[in-house]
Amino acid sequence: MIRVQENTSLKPYNTFGIDVKTKYFCEIRSDDELQELIATDLFKNEKKLILGGGSNVLFTRNFDGLLILNSIQGIEIVEETEEKITLKASSGERWHSLVMNCVKHNWGGIENLSLIPGTVGAAPMQNIGAYGVEVSEVITKVEAIELTTGEIKMFTREECKFGYRESIFKNTAKEKYFISSVTLTLCKKNYHINISYGAISDILKQMNVSQPTIQSVSEAVIKIRTEKLPDTTTLGNAGSFFKNPEIGEKLFEKIKSEYPVIPHYTAANQQVKVPAGWLIEQCGWKGKKFDRIGVHATQALVLVNYGDANGEEIFQLAMKIIQSVREKFSITLTPEVNIF
Ligand code: EPU
């Protein structure tokens, strides 16, 4: 049975801890409840916004519509062979709980994505990635419900049009679907342990691990994330605020001649990817605190709400950062978080 609340604060539902209100609020715990909601006049008439863990959003104003909180739980095995296992995870499951479940069973593929905040449903939306792995590598299917008709639609991996922190759900399918489940195929045997990301091998050395396992890689990732990234449960933030920009070789060479140590990675189409955190740090923002907001001290890519800041203040800080990076490096950063 669904219950629609009015004039509800979203503070508990976004990791930035921004206190905005939504005109209508409804928590959905099953596919049936979603269908029940879809059949209401309220659903037909109001503007809609779906929220999972609220860990990748910045609210700058009240929401004048129906906010749907996705709490659909459940993980089931849909196929299993000696080598592989295919799981269907409901979209309201916590992403990290799914990872921990897989690590415990020794199913390989998502251990590098340990401790990423948010829900399973948000994972394909922005193709979450960390430490050399992107979720698009293991997703085989995404089941979504079309918001206007209530019909179920299956997206194959190709149809999801995954890119770096991108998918069809952030582009042409934006706000058209409610992702209800994600199907992933993981390895039970011959899994590929990915320790290509320098920081993981350093931590594993410190942990005296010479033969990395799914469990030790997960532990290493948890250690790095805990040290570098602020805990969303104690300090308001939404992880990386900006995407790492890709720039042309010419501009890269120009910057490199002045900053020979600039970290960088080769990207497609002769582009070079540079860490936005490094660029922001060079502009002097790292660790800066302005009253109740700031730039995190150990990772300049993370903007922080130290108290009761509003979203507009954080948005203005983001704009100033974009401007200063543009002035110094001729690079325009784009936000990774969804701004409402
Ligand atoms: N760096 C700095 N100063 C900083 C931050 C980073 O100089 O303040 C340098 C680091 O020294 C390193 C490089 O930038 O040489 C990369 O830094 P880091 O390993 O921390 O990763 P990142 O590129 O800043 C990305 C993701 C993170 C993900 C990590 C690890 C994006 C936008 N962010 O950050 O994802 O955890 O790689 O794979 O791609 C997120 O999306 O919310 C997120 C946290």
Side-chain angles (χ1 to χ4, degrees):
M1 192 53 193
I2 55 165
R3 194 165 73 94
V4 178
Q5 289 164 239
E6 283 180 44
N7 209 20
T8 308
S9 169
L10 292 179
K11 190 169 176 170
Y13 306 111
N14 73 97
T15 60
F16 254 127
I18 305 295
D19 192 8
V20 288
K21 288 201 165 89
T22 175
K23 191 160 126 197
Y24 297 106
F25 176 90
C26 185
E27 183 170 5
I28 293 294
R29 293 186 186 79
S30 66
D31 289 358
D32 287 349
E33 284 194 352
L34 180 62
Q35 293 298 347
E36 198 185 323
L37 181 66
I38 289 174
T40 61
D41 285 342
L42 188 83
F43 186 90
K44 289 189 188 94
N45 299 333
E46 295 294 326
K47 201 162 72 170
K48 290 162 282 288
L49 183 61
I50 299 155
L51 204 58
S55 54
N56 207 39
V57 290
L58 175 67
F59 289 113
T60 58
R61 57 175 77 99
N62 290 335
F63 181 64
D64 184 30
L66 168 65
L67 190 131
I68 307 165
L69 183 69
N70 180 355
S71 297
I72 306 178
Q73 307 286 310
I75 300 171
E76 55 171 311
I77 297 173
V78 289
E79 207 181 324
E80 189 169 5
T81 63
E82 273 200 14
E83 303 264 326
K84 304 227 183 238
I85 184 145
T86 299
L87 303 172
K88 183 175 168 184
S90 295
S91 52
E93 280 284 337
R94 295 272 133 192
W95 173 259
H96 183 61
S97 313
L98 172 67
V99 175
M100 287 296 97
N101 198 335
C102 297
V103 168
K104 187 176 82 193
H105 287 95
N106 217 27
W107 299 331
I110 51 175
E111 57 281 1
N112 294 46
L113 306 179
S114 297
L115 213 62
I116 295 187
T119 54
V120 165
M125 184 85 92
Q126 50 152 340
N127 186 15
I128 56 170
Y131 310 104
V133 173
E134 284 185 347
V135 75
S136 54
E137 293 163 39
V138 293
I139 288 183
T140 44
K141 248 189 289 180
V142 173
E143 189 184 279
I145 293 163
E146 222 207 298
L147 290 175
T148 49
T149 59
E151 275 171 26
I152 296 175
K153 166 136 173 68
M154 287 291 181
F155 290 84
T156 61
R157 180 189 297 159
E158 289 67 35
E159 284 168 340
C160 289
K161 295 197 169 41
F162 289 121
Y164 165 59
R165 295 297 191 276
E166 285 295 344
S167 76
I168 191 165
F169 306 105
K170 275 182 93 172
N171 294 293
T172 50
K174 194 175 174 181
E175 286 160 28
K176 290 191 182 141
Y177 293 95
F178 180 104
I179 293 175
S180 52
S181 74
V182 176
T183 303
L184 338 118
T185 300
L186 304 172
C187 292
K188 289 167 66 184
K189 274 185 181 168
N190 304 324
Y191 35 73
H192 170 61
I193 297 279
N194 187 332
I195 54 164
S196 58
Y197 205 89
I200 297 192
S201 36
D202 295 346
I203 296 275
L204 287 171
K205 261 185 221 138
Q206 275 178 34
M207 288 161 59
N208 287 322
V209 173
S210 52
Q211 295 281 328
T213 59
I214 289 172
Q215 286 77 17
S216 55
V217 169
S218 169
E219 275 168 42
V221 168
I222 290 173
K223 204 157 184 283
I224 304 168
R225 290 191 79 95
T226 317
E227 277 166 17
K228 274 202 153 183
L229 297 165
D231 180 356
T232 52
T233 58
T234 53
L235 193 58
N237 77 92
S240 301
F241 195 93
F242 302 100
K243 286 194 209 179
N244 286 334
E246 289 179 359
I247 59 173
E249 271 173 5
K250 226 168 145 188
L251 177 58
F252 174 71
E253 288 305 332
K254 185 169 166 267
I255 298 172
K256 195 169 176 237
S257 64
E258 218 183 309
Y259 301 88
V261 295
I262 180 173
H264 60 281
Y265 322 91
T266 313
N269 303 325
Q270 277 143 18
Q271 299 279 98
V272 183
K273 192 186 264 192
V274 292
W278 183 88
L279 298 167
I280 297 167
E281 181 173 352
Q282 300 311 305
C283 293
W285 293 100
K286 194 171 183 172
K288 281 268 157 57
K289 206 173 160 195
F290 308 93
D291 193 13
R292 31 188 211 180
I293 57 171
V295 178
H296 193 53
T298 55
Q299 168 56 288
L301 201 46
V302 179
L303 305 187
V304 177
N305 174 9
Y306 287 106
D308 294 317
N310 60 51
E312 186 58 29
E313 285 172 72
I314 294 170
F315 180 73
Q316 288 309 329
L317 173 61
M319 291 303 115
K320 283 187 196 148
I321 292 173
I322 290 176
Q323 197 185 346
S324 77
V325 169
R326 194 188 288 135
E327 277 164 15
K328 196 173 175 78
F329 294 106
S330 305
I331 296 173
T332 302
L333 296 181
T334 47
E336 199 235 281
V337 297
N338 299 301
I339 299 167
F340 294 100

